[in-house]
Amino acid sequence: APEYLNVQPAARCAALHGRDPDLIVQVNHPRLEGGIGYFDATGYDPRSGQGGELYSDDYDSLEVWNGFDLARRDQVDRVFGDWLAMLARGRRVTATGSSDSHTIRSEMAGYPRTYVRTPIAGVADTRALLRALRKGRAFVTSGPFLNVKVEGKGPGEEVVLRGDRIEIAIHVQVASWMQVNALRVYLGGVLVHRAALGPPTQVRFAGLANRYERTIRLPVDQPAALVVAVDGDK
């Protein structure tokens, strides 16, 4: 790793990116208390996308959900809002989540986590994984497994608008002991659809998993980032 002590963020990010074109610079827990959060330490304002003299936006991914905030919904929503504001301004940053498990006695490993979609041949290929993550072919979760298609395209892909509406197919699978009941869809940072998911359908594995399916059509009048979120009370 390049030198980091007494090095400003812009120089540090440039040094990292200079090491390898596939290297990803990620901002972790940007709002964590105690002077640790990058956004707070550099005076970042999500409304303008600007920060103080120490702030640099030369990063590729943003940890929108950190294990320390697993039970702090307000903190998760705040960083999620920061990320949506970036997307609304046309700033393409991949959302990630990680458990931040430094010890086995505090943060549980794997909650939350990031799933990345890669070609089957690229499962063991580190560079294929990084390239897919950079393109945004990923989602963040604490359990529910999402499969979202917009006009047949998946996360991180671009959809060519051929009319004033788009079709979104949403499939959610969870363990039977989890509950997912709410769906939200954002377009360009604006909440454009909210609905209940309805009762689940049991799938294989002897009833150990539940599946939710929903297809919706939304009006779209301009290019924008589209984000799907689901959650529940259990």
Side-chain angles (χ1 to χ4, degrees):
E3 181 61 47
Y4 64 92
L5 288 175
N6 300 316
V7 178
Q8 293 197 0
R12 186 185 311 160
C13 292
L16 286 167
H17 281 134
R19 294 294 173 99
D20 191 318
D22 286 331
L23 186 144
I24 290 179
V25 175
Q26 175 168 299
V27 172
N28 291 326
H29 44 63
R31 296 292 186 184
L32 194 61
E33 301 94 333
I36 297 176
Y38 178 66
F39 285 176
D40 294 330
T42 59
Y44 176 74
D45 180 4
R47 292 168 296 184
S48 65
Q50 302 295 317
E53 60 180 12
L54 290 179
Y55 177 74
S56 169
D57 69 352
D58 188 19
Y59 50 87
D60 312 294
S61 59
L62 178 70
E63 187 185 54
V64 299
W65 197 353
N66 180 274
F68 281 91
D69 295 332
L70 192 60
R72 302 196 298 175
R73 177 63 184 266
D74 58 331
Q75 289 289 97
V76 179
D77 287 343
R78 184 184 182 191
V79 181
F80 181 66
D82 289 339
W83 179 60
L84 288 178
M86 291 180 184
L87 298 181
R89 288 194 302 274
R91 170 90 165 91
R92 189 163 182 169
V93 175
T94 300
T96 64
S98 59
S99 52
D100 208 344
S101 304
H102 287 260
T103 72
I104 62 173
R105 294 184 298 172
S106 53
E107 296 70 43
M108 294 178 61
Y111 292 90
R113 68 182 71 179
T114 305
Y115 283 98
V116 183
R117 183 187 297 274
T118 65
I120 294 178
V123 171
D125 185 341
T126 302
R127 290 190 180 275
L129 180 71
L130 290 174
R131 289 166 183 167
L133 184 62
R134 182 186 298 279
K135 293 178 180 178
R137 294 176 180 172
F139 69 93
V140 179
T141 182
S142 63
F145 194 91
L146 278 68
N147 188 358
V148 177
K149 293 291 182 68
V150 180
E151 298 292 337
K153 300 285 188 177
E157 296 185 280
E158 295 185 355
V159 177
V160 177
L161 300 176
R162 303 188 185 281
D164 59 358
R165 286 182 175 271
I166 55 172
E167 181 175 280
I168 308 172
I170 301 165
H171 301 266
V172 186
Q173 187 167 306
V174 297
S176 59
W177 42 267
M178 300 189 81
Q179 181 187 71
V180 176
N181 53 27
L183 164 70
R184 290 171 287 135
V185 179
Y186 298 84
L187 189 63
V190 178
L191 179 63
V192 293
H193 182 80
R194 182 196 295 270
L197 278 174
T201 300
Q202 284 196 343
V203 293
R204 50 186 182 168
F205 313 123
L208 295 178
N210 293 330
R211 186 181 180 96
Y212 303 80
E213 299 185 33
R214 176 67 66 91
T215 299
I216 60 177
R217 293 185 62 82
L218 290 179
V220 177
D221 59 3
Q222 61 182 352
L226 186 140
V227 176
V228 174
V230 296
D231 54 40
D233 301 321
K234 183 179 178 182

